[in-house]
Amino acid sequence: MLKMELDNLKFRFGRIDESKVASDVKNKLNDLFEKPDKTWDDAYQIENQIAMLLTGDCLRREITARLRETIARNATDAAVLQTDYDALLKSIEKVGRTSFDDVLRNFLLEVLENIHWQSKLKHLAREFRLEATRNTLWIVAGALVFVLLPYFPWPSCLRPASSRAYFGLYTALTFGLLGALFSRLITLQTPRSVLTLEELRNALTFRYIFQRACIGACGALIVYFFLQSELVTGTVFPKFEEITKGVVSVSDGKSLAFLIIWSFIAGFSESLVPSVLSNTERQFGGAMGGRPAAPEA
């Protein structure tokens, strides 16, 4: 993409009459074109230099094209720039100046700066998303190891008898952790997710990713005890007595599969646990409010 932009700028510079270009500007542009490791900032600098060489109708057409580009890129100041350009043309006509290229060049530089800034923000956001995704995938790989630990063929001496009693709790925590990480990956890969640069920069740090994963594990822990308390019962909820009786794989019973699903959803969803707690609070409040008052002495 950068190479295509530089080739386009080089073509545009070649169409300008070099006899009308100052030697220092020409040398500066040639140095930028011949720079070995060019960046987007170099391309923006070249474009600004070329804009300062435009005159007359070419300058006006360039401004019109760039204003259309701001609209196509959904630039935040696109409408304002168009309004300012219309007002600028009206003011120039009132003054009656025959040559106003210097004013239009300054306005073109303002438009280009807006376009360059929007492009740089998108470039930085894309880089932050990619790095955040890579770092999250590293933690996902580690979480998968912990998820599969109970299913490894460990020697009997390394499997304490009490481990079966905590197997359900361990499953809920690890799959809640995995659900939270999966939620972060979905958010990072969704094009319509509105995340600021500051949020994306935080999202790529391992501390932030681990913090969100721990929140998901805590949510799964709350759902685990909520299900174990049997406040709700049904065919889609696990039976914990089955989980502690020699279940070693999901194919051995539905209860373990149900626990995995609910734990994963608790870690993935940001609204499940708050809604469960709110409903429980209302039910508890209703029960306390309906309790008969103690007789007076």
Side-chain angles (χ1 to χ4, degrees), residues 164-165 167 239-248 252:
R164 178 55 54 186
F167 178 69
K239 298 178 180 178
F240 287 90
E241 61 271 12
E242 293 182 2
I243 298 176
T244 58
K245 290 181 180 179
V247 178
V248 294
D252 291 338

Side-chain angles (χ1 to χ4, degrees), residues 146-167:
F146 283 100
V147 167
L148 299 175
L149 273 179
Y151 306 100
F152 289 164
W154 298 104
S156 58
C157 60
L158 297 178
R159 285 181 175 271
S162 60
S163 62
R164 178 55 54 186
Y166 303 104
F167 178 69

Side-chain angles (χ1 to χ4, degrees), residues 133-198:
T133 301
R134 285 194 296 266
N135 293 343
T136 305
L137 286 174
W138 278 112
I139 299 184
V140 167
L144 283 173
V145 173
F146 283 100
V147 167
L148 299 175
L149 273 179
Y151 306 100
F152 289 164
W154 298 104
S156 58
C157 60
L158 297 178
R159 285 181 175 271
S162 60
S163 62
R164 178 55 54 186
Y166 303 104
F167 178 69
L169 179 61
Y170 180 86
T171 300
L173 288 173
T174 53
F175 276 93
L177 192 78
L178 199 61
L181 293 173
F182 187 71
S183 174
R184 293 306 302 163
L185 288 174
I186 294 297
T187 302
L188 291 171
Q189 295 304 312
T190 302
R192 295 184 180 180
S193 61
V194 182
L195 294 175
T196 64
L197 280 181
E198 187 66 24

Side-chain angles (χ1 to χ4, degrees), residues 99-150:
S99 177
F100 44 84
D101 287 349
D102 53 341
V103 178
L104 293 179
R105 287 195 197 98
N106 291 332
F107 181 78
L108 178 57
L109 289 178
E110 182 181 351
V111 176
L112 290 176
E113 183 179 358
N114 185 278
I115 295 174
H116 298 164
W117 178 242
Q118 294 294 327
S119 300
K120 193 162 188 176
L121 287 179
K122 290 183 178 180
H123 177 71
L124 288 174
R126 184 166 55 250
E127 292 295 325
F128 286 166
R129 283 181 187 273
L130 289 175
E131 188 173 354
T133 301
R134 285 194 296 266
N135 293 343
T136 305
L137 286 174
W138 278 112
I139 299 184
V140 167
L144 283 173
V145 173
F146 283 100
V147 167
L148 299 175
L149 273 179

Side-chain angles (χ1 to χ4, degrees), residues 32 41 59 75 77 80 109 128 131 154 179 199 203 217 231 263-264:
L32 288 172
D41 289 336
L59 179 57
D77 298 333
V80 176
L109 289 178
F128 286 166
E131 188 173 354
W154 298 104
E199 290 172 337
L231 289 174
S263 300
F264 189 89

